[in-house]
Amino acid sequence: MGQKAPRRRGARRAALLAATMTASLAVGCTAHHGATVDDGRGQTQSPTQSPAESPSSVAPAAGPVLAVKIDNVPAARPQTGLDSADIVYAEQVEGGLSRLMAVFATKLPKSVGPVRSARVSDLELLRQFDDPTLAFSGAQHKLLPLIDKAPLRSASPDEVASAYYRGVDKSAPHNLYLRPNKLLSSAPGAAALTTGFHYGAAPAGGKTTTSRTVRYPAARFTFTWSGSRHRWLVTEDGTPTVTTAGKRLAPATVVVQYVKIQKSVYHDVLGNNTPYTVTVGSGKADVLRDGRTFSVDWKRPEATGGTEFTTSDGTPVNFAKGQVWVVFAKA
């Protein structure tokens, strides 16, 4: 069954965001939010304030989805709470590394992390949701005005310090974790997943697939079909991906979506360019489900709409019920 399309939000705010994002192509600087210095590669300092020293400025609320930026370098693994996400987006960041965005709607885990910084591509991707809450560790200074203007609820440690804590199992910056119940009083439900995804029976055809690998310049994802679990087992950089509880990550559907990945005006402190992943437009994709690969088309004409995945004749492609991973690969 397809999810409902997102309702239109404030036109003036969206227009201002679009204009600001366009203008941002003419400026660039590496600076960061509050006391947090995050270059995307693990060079950060711990926040100077503890939750007790900085009261929350955002009250818990239910309704929109919760999106959390997740650290995905080897030092950040295993991660916490990813198995509870409805959707996991994988994007390329500085230095050819990867970062995840986990979207929660039907279940809120007790803890999620490690949490890391936002990227400019996230703002376009998140406009498909109705006023989502974005949890992130910080952002480059020039990006902060865009986040402030975006139709979302910003929830960084500077804004909601009481929702975050530092773990003891990893060193900073790979030890910042989120308590989702400090941001949302309850899971909003599947209706909040305004992605355009359809769930149901598989389309006809497809190619039998036992394993699929997607490579970034400095990261690698492999999805291996498990007939006994009827899921795709995730392996990253050659190591099986598990949670801190030892649970193997195993989505029901994997989407390899071919998109434009272009340079932005942003750089990290080492001078590496921040890639911009373009998720509005159209192109090709591979949908992996039930041990088969289906070559499909994708289309997202407007940022405020979800992404349609269809066969060559325009028939919507159903996903298998369960967690979905969307890996953005360079077209």
Side-chain angles (χ1 to χ4, degrees):
M1 180 175 66
Q3 302 293 355
K4 67 179 184 179
R7 64 178 184 268
R8 295 284 181 177
R9 293 179 284 275
R12 292 180 60 187
R13 191 179 190 191
L16 180 60
L17 172 64
T20 307
M21 291 182 70
T22 300
S24 74
L25 297 177
V27 296
C29 178
T30 302
H32 306 276
H33 199 198
T36 303
V37 180
D38 190 336
D39 69 356
R41 292 165 57 91
Q43 307 287 327
T44 72
Q45 300 172 353
S46 299
T48 57
Q49 289 184 311
S50 69
E53 295 170 325
S54 181
S56 170
S57 61
V58 181
V65 299
L66 170 64
V68 186
K69 289 308 302 266
I70 304 291
D71 196 353
N72 200 42
V73 297
R77 303 172 195 147
Q79 294 119 330
T80 300
L82 272 180
D83 54 315
S84 296
D86 295 278
I87 305 168
V88 177
Y89 291 101
E91 65 176 339
Q92 183 179 322
V93 292
E94 297 85 357
L97 296 168
S98 66
R99 186 154 297 179
L100 307 178
M101 179 189 287
V103 178
F104 300 88
T106 60
K107 181 181 180 181
L108 296 179
K110 292 182 179 180
S111 178
V112 180
V115 180
R116 288 302 295 272
S117 59
R119 293 294 183 271
V120 64
S121 303
D122 302 332
L123 303 185
E124 180 176 277
L125 182 62
L126 285 172
R127 286 190 66 196
Q128 67 188 297
F129 300 107
D130 186 17
D131 296 324
T133 296
L134 174 62
F136 61 107
S137 66
Q140 296 183 7
H141 178 71
K142 293 295 183 180
L143 180 56
L144 294 177
L146 274 69
I147 295 176
D148 291 339
K149 293 178 176 67
L152 55 80
R153 180 170 171 249
S154 177
S156 71
D158 290 338
E159 298 161 307
V160 201
S162 61
Y164 293 87
Y165 69 94
R166 289 283 175 181
V168 298
D169 58 333
K170 301 179 180 71
S171 60
H174 313 293
N175 63 351
L176 181 66
Y177 293 86
L178 171 74
R179 297 183 181 94
N181 65 359
K182 295 291 186 178
L183 299 180
L184 294 163
S185 59
S186 62
L193 294 169
T194 50
T195 57
F197 296 172
H198 293 261
Y199 299 85
K207 181 180 179 181
T208 299
T209 303
T210 58
S211 182
R212 175 65 182 272
T213 296
V214 180
R215 291 179 172 85
Y216 291 169
R220 183 170 82 253
F221 298 89
T222 298
F223 303 93
T224 303
W225 178 247
S226 169
S228 61
R229 296 188 58 179
H230 216 71
R231 292 289 186 270
W232 297 94
L233 305 182
V234 183
T235 298
E236 295 175 282
D237 303 323
T239 301
T241 305
V242 298
T243 66
T244 48
K247 185 176 181 180
R248 186 75 179 270
L249 288 182
T253 304
V254 176
V255 180
V256 182
Q257 185 175 343
Y258 295 99
V259 298
K260 294 179 181 178
I261 300 177
Q262 57 195 38
K263 290 184 177 181
S264 74
V265 298
Y266 302 102
H267 297 77
D268 65 18
V269 296
L270 300 179
N272 295 297
N273 185 264
T274 300
Y276 186 88
T277 300
V278 182
T279 57
V280 172
S282 61
K284 300 293 184 180
D286 291 330
V287 173
L288 283 62
R289 60 162 296 175
D290 304 332
R292 305 184 74 82
T293 297
F294 301 88
S295 298
V296 305
D297 298 317
W298 70 267
K299 181 172 63 175
R300 185 183 175 204
E302 298 178 338
T304 51
T307 304
E308 299 178 9
F309 294 91
T310 61
T311 59
S312 58
D313 63 0
T315 302
V317 173
N318 292 328
F319 294 173
K321 186 177 181 181
Q323 187 179 80
V324 177
W325 276 56
V326 179
V327 182
F328 294 118
K330 189 172 183 178

